[in-house]
């Protein structure tokens, strides 16, 4: 277990010896034959679940099984935006709970996750869109979430380089000032280190290839490093949710699609907030390194490949130049893709599955990074109590059979539209 507390004193002490004696942030654990709880997936959600199981529920015999390396899935591929600007009450409560955890996360984990409350601004391009934003902003305020409706002139002052207009003039916008960004890798590393300090075994290069079910209950998992017995199994595998759940005979209302993103070459600070436009399918922020990080919609076909096609990149570049013509002089540095698990109502599934001892967090579509702390906390609660917390009770799998959809966008069972 890593025991060094990160502090100014530790930094100074290690500086005297040339930084050669820092202990590894987490151990390379070998799998044991049995654990009280096993989590499949070493992304932010799986690691957070393990951490809260150990810390909040004192379940010390926990393993996280990751087929690749920690944070190599969507956690390390996302565009790092965190926010809770939702209209529907279950979403508002869930994501606001996550925002509150973000605000204290660096201190709680003793690891700087670089949460930056730089604001998330949604641009409205028509009076009707602005009306809808006013309604959402009012709903957010009623739920205790910060929201400000901005005029066109206020936006011009806040985002001076947003000088484009074209077919999409900006008429106003909705700002969540506490929204912003966090450093994605740091979130995985911070949770991994804190979970390891609580005794969790983190096992990389260990793919789950089967789930053993005996008399309707989980008995363990088959892995590339052998069989591991457990009676509590949590699935946190993002774009692979339906494939892994199918190993236990569970069919999920989820489709997997590629979502791409790209960054430009780094430049001096020029954009100090996150800007999004639903009308042109575009969002952008500037990373601490100076790169402009941007993305758009999913590729419209099902896929498990972690790479997409050029038309979406072209669309994102077009949308960028429509809103920020001056960015045309920047060169694209790299682009990548991740597999997102699109649910039929655009909202996640966090809870029990119809096999005793089997639980999941998934179906996060475009937006699960911001939910990482809440998702882990709530899945851990559900696994420890074999019953959901009030905040994740609405996000059960049964809602699809019972017609209690949480359809924020009103798009219906059309995953590619959420
Ligand atoms: C391009 C892009 C941009 C995004 N931007 C944002 C954003 O700005 N804000 C936001 O909130 N969300 C965003 N998201 C969504 C967000 O990244 C995800 O919802 C979130 O990171 C999911 O976290 P996770 O821990 O569940 O998944 P992951 O980080 O993908 O972790 C799951 C892990 O499970 C492992 N795994 C899978 N199958 C198995 C198996 N059989 N055995 C063992 N391990 C297995 C995988 O290797 C992976 O490491 C974005 C996603 C993408 C792709």
């Amino acid at each position: 277990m890593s025991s060094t507390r990160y502090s100014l004193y530790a930094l100074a002490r290690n500086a005297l010896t040339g930084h050669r004696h820092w202990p590894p942030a987490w151990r390379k654990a070998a799998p044991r034959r049995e654990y009280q709880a096993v989590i499949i997936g070493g992304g932010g959600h799986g690691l957070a679940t393990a951490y809260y199981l150990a810390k909040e529920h004192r379940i010390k015999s926990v393993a996280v099984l990751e087929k690749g390396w920690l944070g190599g899935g969507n956690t390390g591929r996302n565009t790092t935006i965190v926010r809770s600007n939702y209209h529907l009450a279950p979403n508002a409560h869930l994501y606001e709970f996550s925002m509150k955890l973000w605000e204290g996360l660096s201190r709680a984990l003793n690891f700087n996750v670089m949460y930056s409350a730089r604001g998330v601004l949604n641009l409205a391009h028509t009076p009707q869109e602005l009306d809808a934003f006013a309604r959402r902003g009012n709903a957010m305020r009623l739920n205790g979430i910060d929201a400000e409706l901005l005029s066109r002139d206020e936006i011009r002052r806040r985002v001076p380089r947003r000088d484009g207009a074209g077919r999409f003039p900006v008429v106003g916008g909705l700002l969540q000032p506490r929204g912003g960004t966090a450093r994605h890798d740091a979130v995985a590393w911070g949770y991994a280190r804190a979970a390891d300090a609580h005794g969790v075994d983190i096992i990389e290069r260990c793919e789950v290839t089967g789930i053993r079910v005996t008399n309707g209950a989980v008995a363990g998992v088959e892995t590339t490093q052998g069989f591991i017995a457990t009676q509590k199994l949590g699935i946190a595998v993002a774009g692979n949710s339906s494939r892994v759940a199918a190993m236990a005979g569970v069919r999920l209302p989820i489709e997997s699609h590629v979502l791409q993103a790209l960054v430009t070459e780094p430049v001096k600070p020029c954009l100090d907030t996150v800007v999004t436009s639903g009308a042109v399918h575009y969002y952008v922020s500037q990373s601490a390194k100076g790169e402009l990080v941007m993305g758009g919609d999913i590729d419209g076909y099902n896929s498990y490949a972690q790479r997409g096609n050029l038309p979406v990149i072209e669309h994102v570049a077009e949308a960028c130049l429509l809103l920020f013509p001056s960015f045309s002089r920047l060169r694209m540095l790299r682009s990548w893709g991740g597999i997102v698990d699109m649910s039929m109502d655009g909202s996640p599934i966090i809870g029990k599955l119809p096999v005793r001892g089997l639980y999941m967090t998934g179906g996060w579509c475009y937006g699960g990074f911001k939910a990482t702390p809440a998702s882990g906390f709530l899945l851990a609660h559900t696994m420890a109590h074999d019953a959901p917390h009030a905040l994740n009770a609405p996000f059960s799998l049964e809602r699809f059979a019972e017609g209690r959809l949480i359809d924020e966008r009103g798009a219906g069972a059309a995953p590619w539209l959420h």
Side-chain angles (χ1 to χ4, degrees):
M1 284 180 233
S2 161
S3 55
T4 297
R5 196 178 155 70
Y6 292 164
S7 65
L8 199 56
Y9 170 71
L11 192 63
R13 191 164 33 86
N14 279 281
L16 293 175
T17 51
H19 295 289
R20 286 190 304 273
H21 303 298
W22 288 105
W26 60 87
R27 292 162 298 136
K28 297 262 174 241
R32 282 187 254 149
R33 288 156 76 142
E34 183 166 8
Y35 289 91
Q36 272 176 287
V38 168
I39 310 296
I40 313 175
H45 289 230
L47 293 163
T49 305
Y51 165 71
Y52 292 115
L53 273 172
K55 176 170 182 285
E56 301 289 326
H57 306 285
R58 310 255 177 256
I59 300 180
K60 298 293 180 191
S61 161
V62 180
V64 177
L65 310 181
E66 165 55 50
K67 71 175 174 183
W69 66 96
L70 293 195
N74 288 352
T75 299
R77 292 164 189 266
N78 74 77
T79 44
T80 76
I81 300 168
V82 303
R83 59 187 172 86
S84 60
N85 53 358
Y86 281 81
H87 186 154
L88 299 180
N91 280 331
H93 297 316
L94 171 71
Y95 291 105
E96 181 55 14
F97 176 61
S98 210
M99 282 300 294
K100 295 220 163 77
L101 291 175
W102 279 116
E103 284 166 341
L105 198 59
S106 294
R107 191 171 289 270
L109 299 181
N110 180 229
F111 200 102
N112 188 1
V113 299
M114 295 169 69
Y115 162 60
S116 156
R118 60 182 64 183
V120 172
L121 173 64
N122 303 148
L123 298 176
H125 299 276
T126 62
Q128 293 78 3
E129 206 179 355
L130 194 59
D131 279 352
F133 282 4
R135 198 159 63 109
R136 177 152 56 94
N138 286 333
M140 286 166 64
R141 284 175 166 231
L142 285 171
N143 279 317
I145 302 170
D146 55 321
E148 289 174 25
L149 202 63
L150 301 187
S151 69
R152 189 179 51 185
D153 289 343
E154 284 168 323
I155 291 175
R156 199 170 277 146
R157 275 198 298 279
R158 276 174 180 269
V159 193
R161 277 179 182 74
R162 201 216 53 74
D163 34 21
R167 286 188 295 133
F168 295 92
V170 171
V171 299
L174 182 65
L175 175 75
Q176 182 181 19
R178 285 160 59 244
T181 56
R183 171 78 202 275
H184 49 8
D185 297 323
V187 173
W189 300 335
Y191 271 118
R193 176 170 169 272
D196 176 85
H198 282 282
V200 170
D201 279 358
I202 296 169
I203 302 157
E204 294 172 87
R205 311 244 173 245
C206 181
E207 180 170 0
V208 171
T209 52
I211 297 176
R212 196 179 291 176
V213 176
T214 311
N215 299 327
V218 166
V221 284
E222 313 285 352
T223 80
T224 46
Q225 298 194 31
F227 177 75
I228 300 174
T230 188
Q231 291 178 2
K232 280 186 190 290
L233 182 62
I235 301 174
V237 295
N240 286 287
S241 296
S242 43
R243 289 212 288 209
V244 172
M247 293 176 189
V250 178
R251 200 162 163 234
L252 297 178
I254 281 178
E255 280 187 8
S256 293
H257 288 255
V258 185
L259 177 62
Q260 300 191 70
L262 65 96
V263 291
T264 67
E265 59 190 325
V267 286
K268 287 189 175 160
C270 63
L271 183 66
D272 64 0
T273 188
V274 180
V275 179
T276 84
S277 165
V280 301
H281 308 296
Y282 177 70
Y283 61 91
V284 61
S285 66
Q286 190 169 21
S287 75
K289 275 191 286 184
E291 301 161 337
L292 289 160
V293 185
M294 57 186 82
D297 272 342
I298 52 175
D299 285 25
Y301 51 90
N302 299 147
S303 174
Y304 288 105
Q306 287 178 310
R307 58 191 298 183
N309 277 328
L310 282 174
V312 171
I313 298 291
E314 196 177 2
H315 179 99
V316 170
E318 276 171 9
C320 170
L321 300 192
L322 194 81
L323 295 176
F324 296 92
S326 57
F327 290 171
S328 67
R329 298 175 62 192
L330 297 175
R331 281 168 296 186
M332 188 177 97
L333 197 62
R334 60 181 186 278
S335 72
W336 65 91
I339 315 163
V340 290
D341 41 351
M342 306 297 294
S343 68
M344 293 297 147
D345 61 359
S347 295
I349 300 166
I350 322 167
K352 297 170 65 165
L353 292 180
V355 170
R356 239 179 8 267
L358 187 63
Y359 311 83
M360 76 170 281
T361 177
W364 289 98
C365 304
Y366 291 79
F369 176 66
K370 63 183 180 289
T372 304
S375 166
F377 187 97
L378 297 170
L379 184 62
H381 178 103
T382 309
M383 291 179 71
H385 296 274
D386 195 36
H389 187 284
L391 283 172
N392 67 306
F395 295 92
S396 66
L397 175 62
E398 291 76 41
R399 76 175 186 273
F400 294 97
E402 295 164 359
R404 291 183 290 102
L405 300 190
I406 306 172
D407 188 353
E408 183 81 19
R409 197 159 172 184
W416 59 94
L417 296 179
H418 280 289

